[in-house]
Amino acid sequence: METRAVYPGSFDPVTNGHLDLIQRSAALFDKVIVAILRNTDKIPLFTVEERMEMLNEAVRDLKNVSVTSFEGLLVDFAQQIGASVIVRGIRAISDYEYELQMALMNRRLSNKVETVFMLPAESYSFLSSKLVKEIARLGGSIRGFVPADVEKRLCGMYRIE
Ligand code: PNS
């Protein structure tokens, strides 16, 4: 039977760390659905549509990866799309506490979906969307941290050459 995995997140914007995890997941599971949360508490820099465009461009060559958005509980969405796995990345021990809490709560909410933690390449272990946005806003170089298209959009936003 086909194993579908959902990789949920804010992706505001997608970084090379996210992309590394998507590639690793795509090699493990039959189908990977990258899902952007719509009803978040966070105030995003990019609209869901913009984030979707950037992600679609980034995963263009990965045939078993698709991008979508969702509202409401992740476990309900996972069930709707037939995903039995939730993929989450852990960069450092500091991520673990929050991720553990979410994974155990999701398990409590539904026993039909299993959370799988994956490690990105070490070279991305310090990378986050939040830091990338801050560096771009303050005029620093974000080359190598995000896909080229994302770099262009972020630099355009802050009028960086
Ligand atoms: O990239 P993020 O912001 O760390 O992703 C967090 C996300 C989207 C995975 C999480 O907020 C989520 O799953 N939200 C959906 C609502 C939900 O199911 N909440 C209960 C989680 S235990």
Side-chain angles (χ1 to χ4, degrees):
M1 216 184 78
E2 180 183 275
T3 306
R4 284 181 181 206
V6 58
Y7 178 34
S10 306
F11 304 105
D12 185 39
V14 59
T15 67
N16 285 343
H18 293 129
L19 205 51
D20 179 81
L21 227 72
I22 294 171
Q23 284 159 351
R24 288 173 197 278
S25 308
L28 271 184
F29 303 107
D30 297 306
K31 182 118 191 56
V32 177
I33 298 104
V34 182
I36 304 169
L37 176 65
R38 278 191 175 270
N39 54 338
T40 174
D41 302 341
K42 299 179 192 168
I43 298 168
L45 180 65
F46 293 102
T47 66
V48 170
E49 286 63 34
E50 287 170 327
R51 284 179 269 160
M52 194 114 84
E53 278 171 22
M54 289 183 272
L55 268 163
N56 269 318
E57 172 65 25
V59 304
R60 208 175 38 175
D61 296 332
L62 299 169
K63 296 295 167 239
N64 60 338
V65 177
S66 61
V67 181
T68 188
S69 65
F70 75 105
E71 265 173 322
L73 283 178
L74 174 61
V75 288
D76 291 342
F77 175 69
Q79 238 156 291
Q80 269 167 37
I81 60 168
S84 55
V85 173
I86 295 171
V87 170
R88 289 289 288 173
I90 294 204
R91 290 162 297 191
I93 204 74
S94 50
D95 284 336
Y96 183 71
E97 210 169 324
Y98 169 60
E99 294 299 333
L100 177 75
Q101 195 181 10
M102 268 206 308
L104 292 177
M105 183 56 87
N106 281 331
R107 181 183 280 169
R108 183 67 179 262
L109 293 171
S110 167
N111 59 7
K112 294 200 173 67
V113 60
E114 201 65 55
T115 299
V116 170
F117 292 138
M118 293 187 67
L119 309 178
E122 292 153 59
S123 49
Y124 298 131
S125 60
F126 56 88
L127 197 52
S128 73
S129 299
K130 187 170 171 245
L131 281 185
V132 165
K133 284 183 282 193
E134 185 172 312
I135 294 164
R137 182 169 53 83
L138 299 173
S141 170
I142 53 167
R143 184 141 306 160
F145 297 158
V146 289
D149 160 59
V150 178
E151 183 187 347
K152 215 162 121 193
R153 286 189 195 230
L154 266 173
C155 292
M157 205 163 232
Y158 295 114
R159 299 184 196 287
I160 299 162
E161 292 299 308

